[in-house]
Amino acid sequence: EVEAKYTRKMQALRDEMDLRRKTELHELEERKNSQISELMGNHEGAFGAIKNYYNDITAKNLTLINLLKEQVEDLKKKETVLEKEKAEVLLQNKELTGPLQEAQDLVAELQKKLVHYYRDKEALTNSKAHLKITQKELKDLQWEHEVLEQRFSKVQAERDELYQKFTRAINEVQQKTGFKNLLLERKLHGLLNLLEQKEVELNEVIAASNLSPSAVSLVSHKLEDVLNSKNATIQDLQQQLARVCKAHNDMLQTFEAKLTAFGIPLDNLGFQPLSFPFPGQ
């Protein structure tokens, strides 16, 4: 009974489920058909719109193609005209090639001249600056030159004055030295002559007196003493003469050195200074 009961319930449930399934299938079928109808309507509308769109595009393209054809014809005509103009321009260009080359050469030469111009301009600027510096240095040198000329004039005046003093001094010294040397030489010659005379007189006295050898010896010793004294006097005079000659020569050398230092030639003295030799030379 239970099995029959549940078999009935299962059958009833199965029938109910079949009915529900059929109902749902029917609803699904209706919705599907509705959607299909709606999609077909939408597709037809879209197809019509696309068809109209492409028809419009095709018409526009045909119009554009016709317009472009006309433009192409116009462009061909213009191209023909441009070809003619091109040929004329090429001919003119060929005719202008020579003047263009000349103009380019002229431009290149002018550019070189321009470079030289800038270089010369810079050199001129530098030269002007250097000229200003040189002019300033020239002014300084002129001022120094004037100062040096004044100093030179002063030194020249001092040199002339010193030259005159030296000339007077050398003349006086030469006169005094020459006179003194002459006196010394005369005195020396007088003493020598006197000595010779005394020797002769002594020999005559000895010969005339017939003195003994001891007396002759004594007289000889005395005579030798006298001669030694005279010889000492002669040597002293010779030394004095040598000192005077040396002082005179030293003074001449100093004077010549001073003249050389002041740039005065020795020939400008107007006389030849005497250089006395030392005794024995």
Side-chain angles (χ1 to χ4, degrees):
E1 288 177 358
V2 172
E3 185 179 358
K5 182 181 177 180
Y6 280 101
T7 301
R8 286 194 296 275
K9 285 183 178 183
M10 184 180 294
Q11 186 63 39
L13 182 60
R14 185 177 292 169
D15 292 337
E16 185 180 358
M17 294 298 290
D18 288 337
L19 180 61
R20 185 181 295 175
R21 182 177 61 78
K22 288 179 181 181
T23 303
E24 290 178 354
L25 286 174
H26 183 68
E27 291 177 355
L28 288 172
E29 188 72 24
E30 286 180 356
R31 286 200 299 273
K32 182 189 72 171
N33 291 329
S34 176
Q35 290 178 358
I36 288 172
S37 297
E38 185 178 358
L39 287 173
M40 288 182 68
N42 292 332
H43 288 170
E44 287 178 357
F47 179 72
I50 290 172
K51 185 176 180 181
N52 292 329
Y53 174 73
Y54 280 106
N55 287 331
D56 292 338
I57 290 176
T58 302
K60 290 180 180 179
N61 287 335
L62 289 174
T63 303
L64 182 62
I65 288 171
N66 292 327
L67 181 61
L68 290 175
K69 283 183 179 179
E70 291 177 359
Q71 290 180 357
V72 167
E73 291 295 330
D74 293 337
L75 290 174
K76 285 183 178 179
K77 291 178 181 179
K78 289 181 179 179
E79 184 180 3
T80 303
V81 175
L82 291 174
E83 287 292 336
K84 291 181 180 179
E85 292 179 355
K86 179 182 176 182
E88 292 177 357
V89 169
L90 288 175
L91 181 60
Q92 292 178 359
N93 189 16
K94 186 180 292 184
E95 292 176 354
L96 293 175
T97 301
L100 177 63
Q101 185 64 35
E102 294 178 357
Q104 288 178 349
D105 296 337
L106 181 61
V107 167
E109 185 177 358
L110 291 176
Q111 286 179 348
K112 291 180 180 179
K113 290 182 178 180
L114 183 62
V115 172
H116 291 302
Y117 168 74
Y118 287 132
R119 189 180 303 165
D120 294 338
K121 185 177 180 181
E122 184 178 0
L124 179 61
T125 304
N126 295 331
S127 299
K128 286 182 178 179
H130 185 66
L131 179 61
K132 290 182 179 179
I133 297 172
T134 306
Q135 287 178 348
K136 185 178 181 302
E137 292 178 353
L138 178 61
K139 289 181 179 178
D140 295 338
L141 290 175
Q142 286 176 349
W143 181 78
E144 291 180 0
H145 179 67
E146 291 178 358
V147 173
L148 290 176
E149 278 188 346
Q150 294 176 1
R151 291 176 61 187
F152 175 73
S153 300
K154 184 177 179 181
V155 171
Q156 195 172 19
E158 293 177 356
R159 183 204 65 181
D160 294 337
E161 184 180 358
L162 185 62
Y163 172 73
Q164 293 174 1
K165 289 182 180 180
F166 270 121
T167 304
R168 289 195 299 269
I170 195 67
N171 289 328
E172 293 176 358
V173 170
Q174 275 194 333
Q175 290 176 0
K176 292 179 180 179
T177 306
F179 183 69
K180 191 173 183 180
N181 290 339
L182 182 61
L183 290 177
L184 290 174
E185 287 181 355
R186 287 183 178 179
K187 188 175 181 179
L188 181 60
H189 285 297
L191 291 174
L192 291 175
N193 292 329
L194 181 60
L195 177 61
E196 290 178 356
Q197 184 179 357
K198 293 296 182 181
E199 287 181 353
V200 172
E201 291 177 355
L202 179 62
N203 291 327
E204 289 178 355
V205 169
I206 291 171
S209 61
N210 294 319
L211 294 175
S212 63
S214 60
V216 172
S217 176
L218 180 60
V219 172
S220 297
H221 285 300
K222 289 181 179 181
L223 182 61
E224 286 179 0
D225 292 337
V226 173
L227 288 177
N228 289 331
S229 175
K230 297 298 181 181
N231 288 329
T233 303
I234 291 171
Q235 290 179 359
D236 186 32
L237 290 174
Q238 287 178 347
Q239 290 177 359
Q240 291 181 12
L241 180 61
R243 284 196 297 271
V244 171
C245 292
K246 184 177 185 304
H248 176 73
N249 293 335
D250 291 341
M251 184 270 297
L252 285 178
Q253 291 178 0
T254 304
F255 181 65
E256 291 176 356
K258 288 292 183 180
L259 290 179
T260 304
F262 281 104
I264 302 173
L266 299 179
D267 297 335
N268 292 343
L269 287 176
F271 61 90
Q272 181 65 33
L274 293 176
S275 179
F276 292 101
F278 296 125
Q281 293 183 344

